[in-house]
Amino acid sequence: MDKGSELRRDGDWAVLRIWGEVDLSWSQDVRRQVLEAYAKVKSLAVQLDGVSYIDSSGIAALVEGFQHARSKGGRFALLAPSEAVRAVLELARLDRVFPIFTDLAAARAA
Amino acid sequence: MNESASPLIEVVGLEAFYGRRRILHGVDFSVNRGEIRVIMGGSGSGKSTLLRHIIGLQRPVSGTVNILGVDVGRSDAQALLAVRRRLGVSFQGGALITSMSVGDNVALPLREHTQLDETTIRIMSRLKLEFVNLGGFHDLMPSQLSGGMIKRAALARAIVMDPELLFFDEPSAGLDPVVSAELDELILRLRDALRMTIVVVTHELESAFRIADRITVLDQGDVLTTGTVAEVRASENERIQDLLNRRPRSVEVDVDEYLRRLTEEDA
């Protein structure tokens, strides 16, 4: 299945869109991109509507990004997580931990 | 999703012996991807022996065991290791390493089998402790845990690699009803969210009926039936009804066999 990621700038935010199956085979790439994005911006949103599966190594990359933002006074948001992502977030109650928004405008306004 | 039509587990004609005693009699057993299968049976029915063959701890004397496309009876050590990396096992007694903290126990498979950085390993293993409601317990030693907590920590370790296949031996034994119900719920969610195929060995009826897609009933080394919860409940087989209704079984006595067991030197 098609999978990949794409980073774009939107004003003072960076948006990392990832899609397909996020698993051990490339979740470390996602982690690296999340951390590299914070070298350039203070606010990062990860767009997850196209993610058909995410394992716990993928979730770990998101947790690390969020922790990084909090420790450096930046912002972190998840945008439009698919049902597949939500199911895994809920397993660890992370749906109550991550800031989750439908789109970037909502994240900005929060 | 790349679903394979062939079963993830396929056991054909499996025979097993302890000494001269035959434990499994030509057992056929297959589990499809995404299924939750419960193996039920009383003590001595052969449940654990079947499980030990499926996870490759015992090689079949006769018959074949095929897991994730690998014939475990005929594959070399390297192929067997590759299969084991894709499955998780939660043993009945927990089998935690007593000299390691809970967190290190859970992280151990990731440290042994992956090249992940330590931050990812830490987060992944603590996530799994959150799954089993042991969040924040990573610094404790196994000796400081209750029986139910050990069981949950063992499950966290079994799923830390996000295995395709999870084996869970007696999840509910010795647990209070609330924790037991929570574990049942977790098993269902692991299948749905993380796409695990799960084999649970249990003799807890309530738990079996709650989680199983299909139940395989073993009795004295024979598969009595494999069917949905409704099919097993409706079965007219007397042994199955004994099991469901907790009736003591009447054991047939073969006089010659009995005397041989008591008197022969190498029986």
Side-chain angles (χ1 to χ4, degrees):
Chain A
M1 189 176 169
D2 189 24
K3 64 185 178 189
S5 63
E6 185 180 69
L7 187 71
R8 66 182 164 88
R9 282 293 288 270
D10 192 320
D12 51 349
W13 281 73
V15 178
L16 177 67
R17 186 171 82 87
I18 54 181
W19 65 89
E21 301 201 350
V22 184
D23 60 22
L24 260 180
S25 68
W26 69 292
S27 56
Q28 291 294 88
D29 293 341
V30 173
R31 170 181 186 261
R32 187 177 40 76
Q33 289 178 70
V34 166
L35 297 179
E36 280 176 8
Y38 277 116
K40 298 175 200 134
V41 294
K42 290 193 80 172
S43 302
L44 173 70
V46 184
Q47 190 181 333
L48 298 162
D49 53 333
V51 173
S52 54
Y53 169 78
I54 188 164
D55 73 1
S56 54
S57 69
I59 296 289
L62 302 179
V63 169
E64 196 175 351
F66 186 33
Q67 171 58 23
H68 183 90
R70 282 179 81 86
S71 66
K72 300 276 196 277
R75 293 196 62 196
F76 182 84
L78 301 183
L79 303 184
S82 61
E83 275 305 307
V85 175
R86 276 196 180 273
V88 183
L89 293 177
E90 285 167 9
L91 259 181
R93 292 175 291 275
L94 280 168
D95 55 317
R96 294 183 239 162
V97 174
F98 280 120
I100 300 175
F101 303 96
T102 49
D103 54 30
L104 186 60
R108 264 208 180 98
Chain B
M1 219 153 84
N2 184 18
E3 292 289 27
S4 150
S6 59
L8 280 199
I9 301 174
E10 183 134 54
V11 174
V12 179
L14 180 63
E15 305 265 331
F17 296 84
Y18 287 131
R20 285 210 314 226
R21 196 182 169 91
R22 197 153 72 136
I23 306 298
L24 295 176
H25 307 179
V27 165
D28 295 333
F29 178 80
S30 82
V31 177
N32 295 324
R33 187 179 287 275
E35 183 177 349
I36 298 177
R37 172 68 60 86
V38 168
I39 304 176
M40 271 176 59
S43 304
S45 61
K47 302 188 299 271
S48 300
T49 304
L50 175 59
L51 187 64
R52 289 175 61 82
H53 280 87
I54 298 173
I55 61 180
L57 289 180
Q58 273 174 261
R59 299 238 178 181
V61 179
S62 161
T64 60
V65 177
N66 205 296
I67 305 299
L68 298 162
V70 172
D71 183 343
V72 299
R74 285 164 192 82
S75 56
D76 58 22
Q78 206 173 356
L80 208 53
L81 182 63
V83 166
R84 286 209 185 115
R85 281 184 185 153
R86 295 164 64 193
L87 53 89
V89 185
S90 188
F91 292 98
Q92 192 173 351
L96 296 180
I97 297 170
T98 53
S99 60
M100 286 178 143
S101 70
V102 170
D104 285 339
N105 264 286
V106 176
L108 187 64
L110 291 170
R111 295 202 172 112
E112 289 290 316
H113 296 305
T114 74
Q115 309 291 319
L116 293 168
D117 68 284
E118 191 51 35
T119 306
T120 302
I121 288 177
R122 189 186 311 124
I123 296 172
M124 282 177 75
S125 49
R126 292 187 189 174
L127 266 177
K128 298 302 158 63
L129 285 171
E130 295 286 343
F131 283 15
V132 300
N133 285 334
L134 285 178
F137 286 83
H138 51 267
D139 280 339
L140 294 188
M141 299 303 284
S143 61
Q144 296 172 290
L145 302 183
S146 71
M149 290 159 90
I150 286 174
K151 202 152 251 192
R152 285 184 281 152
L155 175 60
R157 186 177 60 187
I159 60 177
V160 77
M161 303 260 291
D162 295 322
E164 290 169 62
L165 248 174
L166 172 66
F167 297 93
F168 204 167
D169 196 2
E170 298 287 1
S172 313
L175 298 187
D176 73 58
V178 174
V179 173
S180 168
E182 282 171 1
L183 274 184
D184 289 342
E185 179 65 20
L186 178 60
I187 288 169
L188 292 167
R189 292 173 74 183
L190 286 173
R191 186 264 307 270
D192 295 339
L194 289 170
R195 294 187 188 167
M196 291 180 194
T197 301
I198 302 172
V199 176
V200 177
V201 174
T202 187
H203 55 248
E204 303 279 332
L205 294 172
E206 203 184 330
S207 170
F209 290 159
R210 200 155 40 201
I211 61 177
D213 292 313
R214 286 191 291 168
I215 298 176
T216 293
V217 183
L218 276 182
D219 182 61
Q220 300 186 347
D222 289 308
V223 173
L224 290 186
T225 190
T226 293
T228 62
V229 171
E231 285 164 354
V232 170
R233 278 185 142 147
S235 167
E236 288 176 2
N237 182 300
E238 200 182 339
R239 309 290 291 190
I240 293 173
Q241 288 305 321
D242 283 350
L243 203 66
L244 299 188
N245 297 309
R246 300 163 191 263
R247 283 200 295 259
R249 52 192 175 163
S250 55
V251 179
E252 279 176 38
V253 178
D254 176 326
V255 175
D256 288 337
E257 175 69 28
Y258 192 106
L259 287 176
R260 207 163 38 238
R261 283 206 300 271
L262 293 193
T263 59
E264 277 188 20
E265 215 172 310
D266 59 350

